[in-house]
């Protein structure tokens, strides 16, 4: 069976590949564990000079596996939520992160891009953060970082109304470096990651640290995570995920 996340290191670049195309690369708790372990490995290994993240099957990721969310909302989940480790690893990452985005980038698929240093998207990519649709709140410090990047009004429309950005809009708004034809995205990102790997690592790391307030980002993540966890236990969330499992539209009108 193919691993749902593949990790490989070559020529100073760690490649993280979402390899679950049959599920649109939806990320499970176990996958978050692999991703967190990999980013922690990259931090401790000077031979790894850049990290490239991409998805198989013409999709970046459709976000969190909603069956995992449903299990948490109904109390059927137990164990460590590895997503918290993954998000913290993003917050404190000092090695440059490069993303190649084709197709869907839903929820964390978009919010993780706010932690990447170089992002290349397909022109027809679709970036969405429909947290309120699921009776949830933003994560990955996106409640801070997305308004900083694109403004409050547009960010609120993405969070609360589920409005999408295509690749060209993402590039124009500064979420991505460039919007390209889908078939060119990965090659461009690979070239950028290899280029970064040839640069003086100490200078690259120092530059990234100067550009990010990791402690502030972690603090926002902690606040978001607490509220997110609380929201998962609400009647609204149970209705959202029950409706998902039953393949119907949720009805929040009768939920207090």
């Amino acid at each position: 069976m193919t691993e749902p996340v593949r990790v490989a290191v070559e020529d100073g670049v760690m490649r993280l590949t979402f390899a679950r195309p049959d599920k649109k690369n939806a990320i499970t708790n176990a996958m978050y564990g692999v991703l967190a372990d990999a980013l922690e490995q990259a931090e401790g290994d000077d031979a790894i000079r850049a990290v490239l993240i991409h998805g198989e099957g013409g999709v970046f990721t459709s976000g969190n596996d909603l069956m995992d969310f449903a299990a948490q909302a109904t109390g059927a989940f137990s164990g460590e939520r590895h997503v918290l480790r993954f998000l913290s690893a993003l917050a404190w990452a000092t090695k440059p992160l490069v993303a190649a985005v084709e197709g869907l980038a839903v929820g964390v698929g978009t919010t993780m891009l706010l932690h990447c240093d170089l992002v290349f998207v397909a022109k027809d990519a679709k970036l969405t953060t429909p947290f309120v649709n699921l009776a949830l709140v933003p994560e990955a410090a996106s409640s801070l970082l997305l308004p900083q990047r694109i403004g409050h009004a547009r960010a609120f429309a993405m969070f609360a109304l589920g409005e999408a950005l295509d690749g060209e809009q993402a590039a124009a708004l500064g979420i991505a470096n460039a919007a390209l034809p889908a078939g060119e995205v990965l090659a461009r990102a690979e070239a950028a990651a290899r280029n970064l790997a040839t640069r003086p690592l100490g200078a690259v790391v120092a530059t990234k640290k100067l550009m990010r307030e990791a402690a502030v980002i972690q603090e926002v993540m902690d606040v978001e995570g607490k509220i997110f966890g609380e929201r998962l236990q609400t009647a609204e969330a149970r209705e959202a995920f029950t409706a998902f499992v039953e393949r119907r539209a949720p009805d929040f009108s009768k939920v207090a």
Side-chain angles (χ1 to χ4, degrees):
M1 181 179 295
T2 302
E3 293 297 323
V5 175
R6 290 203 306 273
V7 181
V9 178
E10 184 178 1
D11 297 330
V13 177
M14 173 180 277
R15 181 192 293 257
L16 303 179
T17 306
F18 302 124
R20 201 184 177 209
D22 58 315
K23 299 294 184 181
K24 298 181 180 179
N25 294 333
I27 305 174
T28 65
N29 188 56
M31 291 168 67
Y32 279 122
V34 174
L35 293 166
D37 289 345
L39 290 178
E40 290 165 5
Q41 176 190 345
E43 280 299 295
D45 186 348
D46 284 347
I48 298 172
R49 306 170 73 87
V51 178
L52 171 63
I53 307 172
H54 71 104
E56 281 192 348
V59 174
F60 186 58
T61 172
S62 57
N64 287 280
D65 188 307
L66 293 188
M67 295 306 294
D68 277 11
F69 273 172
Q72 293 175 52
T74 59
F77 175 86
S78 62
E80 182 179 2
R81 290 180 62 213
H82 292 298
V83 63
L84 301 178
R85 290 178 50 230
F86 172 65
L87 296 181
S88 186
L90 289 178
W92 294 97
T94 61
K95 305 290 178 69
L97 307 178
V98 181
V101 181
E102 294 181 332
L104 296 175
V106 181
V108 71
T110 289
T111 61
M112 75 171 72
L113 302 180
L114 302 172
H115 300 274
C116 293
D117 304 288
L118 297 175
V119 177
F120 301 94
V121 298
K123 291 181 179 181
D124 61 354
K126 185 178 181 180
L127 284 65
T128 58
T129 54
F131 297 110
V132 170
N133 289 4
L134 297 173
L136 300 173
V137 296
E139 34 79 315
S142 59
S143 62
L144 169 71
L145 299 175
L146 191 60
Q148 284 182 346
R149 196 75 63 92
I150 69 174
H152 175 96
R154 197 182 296 265
F156 188 80
M158 290 187 70
F159 290 142
L161 299 178
E163 291 188 1
L165 298 177
D166 63 28
E168 292 182 302
Q169 290 171 315
L173 290 168
I175 294 176
N177 294 79
L180 306 162
E184 300 177 14
V185 174
L186 182 56
R188 178 72 174 274
E190 288 172 335
R194 288 194 299 268
N195 190 343
L196 284 168
T198 69
R199 306 287 166 156
L201 180 61
V204 171
V205 167
T207 297
K208 179 167 177 171
K209 285 182 177 179
L210 285 169
M211 295 176 68
R212 285 171 61 83
E213 295 183 88
V216 173
I217 291 170
Q218 182 67 68
E219 183 178 353
V220 174
M221 283 184 179
D222 291 344
V223 173
E224 290 174 342
K226 180 176 184 298
I227 297 172
F228 195 102
E230 292 170 350
R231 292 296 313 162
L232 276 172
Q233 305 306 314
T234 64
E236 289 180 341
R238 284 193 295 276
E239 168 60 15
F241 293 111
T242 298
F244 169 76
V245 171
E246 295 177 353
R247 299 181 181 277
R248 62 173 174 82
D251 181 2
F252 298 116
S253 64
K254 298 179 182 179
V255 178

